[in-house]
Structures are given as C-alpha cells and as structure tokens.
Amino acid sequence: MLTRWLIAIVAAIVAASAPCAVLAQEKGGSKDDLDWASARIEELETLAGREAREFDEIEAEAKALAKPFPEFDSQLRAAGSKDDRLWELVGWCRSNGLPAQERIAAVRLLRIDPGFSLARIAAGFARDARVGWKRKPEPLVVSKEKPV
C-alpha cells in the first residue's frame, strides 16, 4: 500500500525529472541544467531513505523498552494506516503514561504523514532552524513508577 509519504516522494521525483525532459528537448537546455536536476532527484531519494532508517531506529528503540500492553496492541492494529486514529492513539498513550508506545504510534503516523509536526515532536524530534528536524540527543527512558 502506498502511503502519502511515498506518494509525495514519487510526486517530487516526477516533478523534478519533468524539467529534465523539457530541457533535453529544447535547444536552450544544457548539460549543466540536466546534471543539476539529476542531483536534486538523488538528494530527494537519499533524504527519503535516511528518514525511513531513522523511523526504523526510533521504532526499534521504543519496542525494546515497551512493556507488553495488549490494549495498545489492539488499538494499534485497529488504527491501521488511518492518520486520525493513530493521532488519537498517541494522545491515549500520553494520557496513560506509555511513552514507548506513544513513540511507536507517532512513528507509524509519520510514515503516513511525515509533515505532521506534532507527531514528530511525540516521536522524539526537535526543530532545528538550521537543518530542520533532528532527533533529540537524549534517549527514551521509561520510568518504572507511574507518574502522579
């Protein structure tokens, strides 16, 4: 199943490659223009791969710390790939003191909609004005005591 994220990447690649075809057909198109457009496509593909690996790492770390919670598992399965249901699950995890499960749900949501800034924050990202979204340096720690 194609997610919005994958569709956005494909659309960006198609949009970036369209000028290549036009430049190649027109007399004014230069090899430098084609090289520039090809480099932008490669950058998009690299960024998408790096982001997917980062999501995998976050989810693996959270799963390693998550204690079994059958209600969360059933809600996650029920949410499937519906972004609104996943966002509700993120809020439910936060209100029930389940930080690892909250990150799992947030990452699943980001796989569908990578532009959802609140989900990025819930997944452990921070906005950096110079480079965009970066993972926070501190790891996810699950406390043994329930907060009061």
Side-chain angles (χ1 to χ4, degrees):
M1 181 174 101
L2 289 177
T3 62
R4 279 190 240 166
W5 174 77
L6 198 52
I7 292 169
I9 295 298
V10 170
I13 291 169
V14 169
S17 62
C20 294
V22 171
L23 289 172
Q25 292 175 357
E26 294 178 354
K27 291 181 180 180
S30 70
K31 183 178 179 333
D32 291 337
D33 293 335
L34 289 172
D35 290 342
W36 178 87
S38 296
R40 298 298 77 77
I41 292 170
E42 288 176 18
E43 286 175 10
L44 284 172
E45 291 170 343
T46 302
L47 179 63
R50 185 173 45 236
E51 190 168 70
R53 283 190 303 278
E54 205 164 41
F55 290 164
D56 290 342
E57 289 172 9
I58 294 169
E59 195 166 355
E61 290 169 5
K63 282 182 179 178
L65 292 171
K67 294 185 171 109
F69 206 85
E71 190 175 349
F72 168 76
D73 296 333
S74 66
Q75 287 191 35
L76 186 61
R77 276 192 301 278
S81 61
K82 298 178 182 126
D83 53 359
D84 56 337
R85 299 270 312 267
L86 285 167
W87 181 243
E88 288 172 10
L89 184 56
V90 169
W92 179 83
C93 291
R94 178 162 289 182
S95 65
N96 286 294
L98 303 168
Q101 287 86 348
E102 179 183 349
R103 282 211 177 162
I104 292 168
V107 167
R108 296 277 174 96
L109 177 54
L110 287 173
R111 290 181 192 279
I112 298 166
D113 184 2
F116 195 159
S117 59
L118 294 175
R120 280 200 182 265
I121 293 167
F125 286 88
R127 184 82 175 151
D128 184 324
R130 292 175 291 131
V131 294
W133 290 102
K134 286 177 55 176
R135 283 184 70 182
K136 292 180 188 174
E138 71 272 357
L140 173 66
V141 177
V142 178
S143 65
K144 297 187 192 263
E145 298 176 16
K146 190 172 182 178
V148 180

